[in-house]
Amino acid sequence: MIGAIILGIVAGFLGRALMPGRDPMGFFATILLGLAGALVGFFIFTELLGIGDDKMFDLGGLIGAIIGVMILLGLYRAFLARRGGPATR
């Protein structure tokens, strides 16, 4: 459980840092984004593409989690833009 939280923190912050633009998210929202991104990345790589180990954490899991965070962040920004929310430039 602690490892998943640490993965969420690292993946959330790295994913947000790699995506240009501003996001009005706090620390806990970043952790949740990281955890959700880790699940998305895990599903994409292990289930759909058959890449990586589905039994234990490895560095590839972190990369998949960061990619998952970036996907979710892109979807979040698209949702805000469609709703007429704040610009995230």
Side-chain angles (χ1 to χ4, degrees):
M1 181 74 166
I2 293 173
I5 293 171
I6 292 171
L7 175 69
I9 292 169
V10 172
F13 280 110
L14 287 176
R16 285 183 60 195
L18 292 173
M19 291 280 291
R22 205 163 166 248
D23 297 304
M25 288 186 193
F27 180 73
F28 292 110
T30 300
I31 293 173
L32 291 176
L33 177 70
L35 291 173
L39 290 174
V40 169
F42 175 79
F43 177 74
I44 289 172
F45 283 99
T46 60
E47 300 298 324
L48 295 179
L49 300 176
I51 300 171
D53 188 7
D54 61 351
K55 303 285 187 239
M56 61 187 298
F57 173 76
D58 58 355
L59 187 59
L62 178 62
I63 294 169
I66 292 169
I67 292 171
V69 165
M70 293 173 75
I71 290 170
L72 289 179
L73 195 55
L75 291 172
Y76 173 74
R77 288 179 181 175
F79 175 74
L80 280 183
R82 187 173 180 143
R83 265 187 57 207
T88 56
R89 292 181 195 224

